C-alpha cells in the first residue's frame, strides 16, 4: 500500500475501529502487513504512537483516540460525498451504520428496513447487533437504537415505539411443582434462567418495580446464557423461571405454554428510540432513514390507537 497521508489515515481508522489489523485488512482488501506498514509510516510522520500493539490485541493511545474522534467523522463524510457526487440528481446513496440491541431486531427494525431499502435502492444498511452501549462517534457509526433510559442527553432522539414491560414467566408445570412466587424476594428460592453479560461476565439482576419502589434481585439457577433466545425452549419445558421482554413471550402466554408471574411488579420501559449525535452533520442516507423511521413510527402509533387494548391488571 503506497503511503499517502489520506491512505494512511484511512488505514489507521479501520484498525482503530476494528481493534484488529487482520479484520481491518479484510475490510479494506489489503494484506495485514501492508496495513501495519501504513500505520507505522503515519506514526513516524506524526511523531507519536497511535496504537499499542500486543500479540493478542490492539489498543488506542491517547493520541490515537484524539485522531479517531477528530478525523473519523470527516473521513466518513468525504467518502459519502463521493457516492453522492456519482448519483443521479435527487437520488439518495450511501450507507447507514447502526448499532442495535438484540431485542430490537425483530420488534422495530423490519418495517423500517424494508421501506427504506425499497425506496432508496442505492443505499445499504450495516447493522451491529450488540447489547452493550457503544460510542457511535468513536466507532464510526451513524446512529443507534436503544431504550430511552440508555441515551445521552446530547443525542437527537426519534421515538420508534410505545413503552414495553419486562415480565417473569414460567411454564405451568414448573409452577405446579415449585409454587408461584408472590414477592420479589421469593425469586431467591426459585430456579431462575440467568442472563450473563457478554462484556463483564456478570449475571444480570432482575429488575422489578411497583409504584415508587424498585428491586434488583440477584437471582441464581441451574443455567445461564448470554442470549435470551436460547432460553425460551427451556422455560417452556419447566426448567425454571425466566425474565423476558414481554413481546418475545406474548404468543407463548396466549397459547398457555407460559404464565406471567409477579405481574404487579413488572418493570416498564419507555420504548425504543433512534438516536444520533446532535452536533454531527447528517448524511443524506441517514436523513432518509430518519424520515422512514418517523413514518413507520407514526403508522404504528395510529394502529395502536385503532385496536382496543385489553385492560391490564393494576397494582
Amino acid at each position: 500500500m503506497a503511503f499517502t497521508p489520506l491512505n494512511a489515515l484511512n488505514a489507521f481508522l479501520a484498525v482503530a475501529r476494528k481493534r484488529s489489523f487482520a479484520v481491518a485488512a479484510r475490510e479494506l482488501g489489503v494484506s495485514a502487513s501492508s496495513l501495519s506498514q501504513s500505520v507505522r509510516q503515519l506514526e513516524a510522520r506524526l511523531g507519536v504512537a497511535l496504537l499499542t500493539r500486543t500479540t493478542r490485541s490492539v489498543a488506542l493511545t491517547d493520541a490515537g483516540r484524539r485522531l479517531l474522534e477528530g478525523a473519523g467523522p470527516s473521513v466518513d463524510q468525504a467518502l459519502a460525498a463521493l457516492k453522492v457526487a456519482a448519483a443521479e440528481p435527487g437520488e439518495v446513496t450511501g450507507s447507514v451504520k447502526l448499532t442495535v440491541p438484540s431485542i430490537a431486531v425483530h420488534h422495530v427494525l423490519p418495517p423500517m428496513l424494508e421501506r427504506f431499502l425499497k425506496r432508496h435502492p442505492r443505499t445499504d444498511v450495516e447493522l451491529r447487533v450488540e447489547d452493550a452501549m457503544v460510542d457511535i462517534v468513536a466507532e464510526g457509526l451513524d446512529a443507534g437504537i436503544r431504550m430511552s433510559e440508555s441515551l445521552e442527553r446530547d443525542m437527537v432522539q426519534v421515538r420508534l415505539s410505545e413503552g414495553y414491560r419486562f415480565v417473569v414467566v414460567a411454564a405451568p408445570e414448573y409452577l405446579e411443582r415449585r409454587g408461584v412466587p408472590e414477592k420479589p424476594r421469593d425469586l431467591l428460592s426459585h430456579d431462575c434462567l440467568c442472563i450473563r453479560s457478554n462484556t463483564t461476565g456478570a449475571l444480570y439482576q432482575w429488575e422489578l418495580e411497583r409504584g415508587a419502589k424498585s428491586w434488583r434481585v440477584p437471582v441464581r439457577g441451574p443455567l445461564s446464557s448470554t442470549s435470551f433466545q436460547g432460553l425460551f425452549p427451556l422455560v417452556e419445558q419447566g426448567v425454571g423461571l425466566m425474565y423476558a421482554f414481554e413481546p418475545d413471550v406474548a404468543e407463548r402466554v396466549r397459547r398457555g405454554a407460559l404464565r406471567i408471574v409477579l405481574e404487579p411488579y413488572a418493570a416498564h420501559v419507555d420504548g425504543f428510540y433512534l438516536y444520533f449525535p446532535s452536533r454531527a452533520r447528517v448524511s443524506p442516507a441517514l436523513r432518509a432513514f430518519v424520515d422512514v423511521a418517523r413514518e413507520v413510527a407514526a403508522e404504528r402509533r395510529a394502529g395502536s390507537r385503532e385496536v382496543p387494548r385489553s385492560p391490564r391488571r393494576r397494582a
Side-chain angles (χ1 to χ4, degrees):
M1 180 183 288
F3 179 83
T4 68
L6 287 179
N7 279 346
L9 177 58
N10 194 44
F12 161 75
L13 293 175
V15 175
R17 287 167 174 168
K18 300 299 182 182
R19 299 295 197 273
S20 166
F21 279 92
V23 174
R26 286 196 297 269
E27 183 179 86
L28 296 177
V30 300
S31 68
S33 60
S34 65
L35 195 63
S36 178
Q37 182 181 8
S38 289
V39 174
R40 289 188 184 280
Q41 288 174 324
L42 180 62
E43 290 174 321
R45 178 71 65 90
L46 297 175
V48 295
L50 301 173
L51 300 170
T52 300
R53 306 158 176 85
T54 70
T55 55
R56 293 186 177 182
S57 65
V58 175
L60 290 168
T61 64
D62 287 341
R65 187 172 295 106
R66 290 194 299 272
L67 183 58
L68 173 61
E69 293 174 353
S74 299
V75 172
D76 292 338
Q77 289 170 12
L79 294 174
L82 293 175
K83 292 184 178 181
V84 172
E88 297 294 331
E91 184 179 31
V92 177
T93 63
S95 63
V96 178
K97 299 179 181 179
L98 298 174
T99 171
V100 300
S102 55
I103 58 175
V105 172
H106 302 293
H107 298 292
V108 298
L109 270 179
M112 289 188 294
L113 292 177
E114 179 185 12
R115 185 173 304 183
F116 175 71
L117 294 173
K118 285 182 177 178
R119 185 178 296 176
H120 305 293
R122 292 198 61 190
T123 62
D124 58 83
V125 178
E126 178 184 324
L127 297 181
R128 281 180 40 176
V129 181
E130 51 202 346
D131 293 319
M133 288 295 293
V134 299
D135 184 335
I136 61 176
V137 175
E139 296 291 331
L141 302 171
D142 298 298
I145 293 176
R146 286 293 184 273
M147 292 184 177
S148 62
E149 66 263 26
S150 302
L151 301 183
E152 298 176 4
R153 293 183 179 179
D154 62 346
M155 295 289 171
V156 178
Q157 302 179 21
V158 178
R159 177 182 277 277
L160 301 179
S161 72
E162 298 302 316
Y164 295 103
R165 300 192 304 176
F166 281 87
V167 295
V168 180
V169 295
E173 181 272 329
Y174 175 89
L175 298 174
E176 291 172 8
R177 176 165 47 90
R178 296 293 305 276
V180 179
E182 300 291 342
K183 301 289 185 182
R185 65 174 176 269
D186 296 343
L187 294 171
L188 298 175
S189 60
H190 277 268
D191 292 332
C192 298
L193 305 182
C194 304
I195 293 295
R196 190 176 294 278
S197 169
N198 271 317
T199 54
T200 67
L203 291 177
Y204 176 71
Q205 297 185 6
W206 292 5
E207 298 181 55
L208 303 172
E209 61 185 38
R210 187 171 189 176
K213 293 190 65 177
S214 62
W215 294 260
R216 293 176 64 89
V217 185
V219 298
R220 293 294 183 270
L223 185 142
S224 65
S225 172
T226 57
S227 168
F228 281 95
Q229 299 300 320
L231 299 180
F232 292 132
L234 296 171
V235 71
E236 285 194 50
Q237 293 165 15
V239 174
L241 299 168
M242 180 180 177
Y243 187 80
F245 186 52
E246 189 172 20
D248 280 341
V249 295
E251 176 56 31
R252 293 175 171 87
V253 171
R254 278 194 292 271
R255 57 183 167 85
L258 297 177
R259 282 176 50 193
I260 296 176
V261 299
L262 294 171
E263 190 165 10
Y265 299 90
H268 291 73
V269 292
D270 194 29
F272 290 104
Y273 287 76
L274 175 71
Y275 69 98
F276 52 92
S278 59
R279 298 186 298 273
R281 180 174 177 267
V282 177
S283 68
L286 177 58
R287 186 178 299 110
F289 187 84
V290 171
D291 290 343
V292 168
R294 287 194 169 109
E295 287 177 16
V296 172
E299 291 168 7
R300 182 182 285 117
R301 287 193 296 271
S304 66
R305 286 194 294 267
E306 292 170 4
V307 178
R309 293 185 177 181
S310 58
R312 284 181 175 171
R313 195 172 90 191
R314 298 185 65 85

